[in-house]
Amino acid sequence: MSESNSGMVDVATLYIVPTPIGNLADITQRALDVLANVDLIAAEDTRHTSRLLSHFSISTRTFALHDHNEQQKADYLIEKLQAGTSIALVSDAGTPLISDPGYHLVNRCRHAGVKVVPLPGPCAVITALSGSGLPSDRFSFEGFLPPKSKGRRDCFQALADDARTLIFYESPHRINDSLSDMLAVLGPDRQVVLARELTKTYETIHGAPLGELIDWLAEDSNRVRGEMVILVAGHRAQKDELSVEVLRTLTLLAKELPLKKAAALTAEIHGAKKNALYKWGLENLE
């Protein structure tokens, strides 16, 4: 079994190492120690990572591991780990696996009994959420939005009644189209926060009702530049408001039963008000 470069890291271990999302001073001392002392660094982009390593005078050898080769290279890296090699996994920025490569490698390591040690550190999702002013007790990170309008609208429709704060990544060249699709589904009054260029010189965290946010972006083209995190306030049901799920149940039952019976059953299933369901049915189903 081979020896690691230093007692600071364990042999036969995969370290998950977060790297700065902008400000290099955000890297932790533990991350630097691991990167300097493992035998190998598996990097999403070795050229990008080499600049980070050079800044901190770290000379550890790198190996390319990205979306296009991860499944093929995972077995090779596991063989090295099982032979005693210590490896650090990094992405271009932030915490690996969070909309970045690494899942297949970590999953296979777990199944193979290889030790995996995750380090805490920078993550755009958590950084944006903590400064957004939106509820943070319950949230859902949805990753990058679909590239096509229909996919985005389907996504927003599926999440329209979700009470959690919703978090998405988006690229600058699609931000306007994505917010337009969101407007079509969620309406102009939903509170949305746009966090861009986090930890960098032009960091901006701006929140407003969606309609106003779109107008604010249109005022200055610089506001749509840089890495984007979109945070959407969860759905807050108004008094007597009937959810999409409740109305779907009522609609299906009303096809087979008298409306009054369908409303009563729907009310029992969902804990909704029977009179409100019956009234909605009269206005929309008959």
Side-chain angles (χ1 to χ4, degrees):
M1 181 176 288
S2 66
E3 295 292 330
S4 289
N5 294 337
S6 168
M8 290 184 178
V9 298
D10 295 330
V11 297
T13 300
L14 176 69
Y15 291 89
I16 313 300
V17 183
T19 55
I21 58 177
N23 191 325
L24 293 180
D26 290 336
I27 198 164
T28 67
Q29 185 59 54
R30 186 182 178 200
L32 292 174
D33 290 341
V34 168
L35 292 175
N37 291 287
V38 290
D39 298 311
L40 181 66
I41 297 172
E44 182 179 5
D45 185 332
T46 55
R47 293 166 298 179
H48 182 93
T49 298
S50 68
R51 293 192 288 271
L52 175 71
L53 299 178
S54 176
H55 180 83
F56 291 105
S57 301
I58 295 172
S59 57
T60 306
R61 185 164 59 95
T62 59
F63 177 91
L65 187 78
H66 45 71
D67 284 331
H68 303 295
N69 75 351
E70 183 184 353
Q71 296 196 52
Q72 291 74 32
K73 298 298 182 181
D75 289 339
Y76 166 76
L77 291 175
I78 289 173
E79 288 179 7
K80 295 188 73 65
L81 286 158
Q82 291 174 327
T85 301
S86 58
I87 299 176
L89 174 67
V90 301
S91 59
D92 286 348
T95 300
L97 282 79
I98 310 302
S99 286
D100 280 330
Y103 162 74
H104 296 288
L105 176 61
V106 173
N107 180 265
R108 292 191 193 180
C109 282
R110 287 295 185 189
H111 284 290
V114 173
K115 184 179 180 182
V116 178
V117 177
L119 275 63
C123 178
V125 175
I126 302 303
T127 302
L129 178 63
S130 66
S132 68
L134 296 179
S136 57
D137 54 335
R138 297 180 66 237
F139 63 92
S140 176
F141 173 54
E142 299 293 325
F144 281 96
L145 284 163
K148 302 293 186 181
S149 178
K150 183 182 184 306
R152 289 192 294 267
R153 292 194 181 204
D154 289 346
C155 173
F156 295 141
Q157 189 64 58
L159 295 167
D161 288 335
D162 198 315
R164 298 170 296 178
T165 296
L166 305 173
I167 308 174
F168 306 92
Y169 285 162
E170 188 52 286
S171 61
H173 70 276
R174 283 206 299 257
I175 186 66
N176 287 322
D177 290 340
S178 290
L179 291 179
S180 293
D181 288 330
M182 187 184 295
L183 179 70
V185 176
L186 302 183
D189 298 325
R190 185 73 71 98
Q191 187 73 13
V192 177
V193 175
L194 180 67
R196 56 177 289 273
E197 293 292 85
L198 291 171
T199 80
K200 301 175 185 176
T201 301
Y202 297 105
E203 175 181 282
T204 304
I205 302 176
H206 184 82
L210 179 54
E212 295 179 18
L213 180 66
I214 291 173
D215 291 340
W216 178 80
L217 283 176
E219 292 171 1
D220 186 346
S221 61
N222 289 318
R223 292 172 178 169
V224 296
R225 293 181 179 178
E227 300 297 323
M228 305 276 185
V229 183
I230 307 170
L231 304 99
V232 182
H235 175 70
R236 296 292 180 264
Q238 302 298 315
K239 185 177 181 181
D240 296 330
E241 180 179 348
L242 300 172
S243 71
V244 172
E245 183 181 4
V246 170
L247 296 179
R248 185 181 299 118
T249 300
L250 176 61
T251 302
L252 290 172
L253 290 176
K255 291 179 179 179
E256 306 295 334
L257 299 169
L259 179 57
K260 186 172 290 188
K261 182 64 173 177
L265 284 175
T266 302
E268 185 175 345
I269 292 169
H270 293 285
K273 293 185 177 181
K274 181 174 63 176
N275 290 341
L277 288 165
Y278 184 68
K279 181 176 183 293
W280 185 90
L282 289 175
E283 295 173 350
N284 296 275
L285 298 179
E286 294 190 343

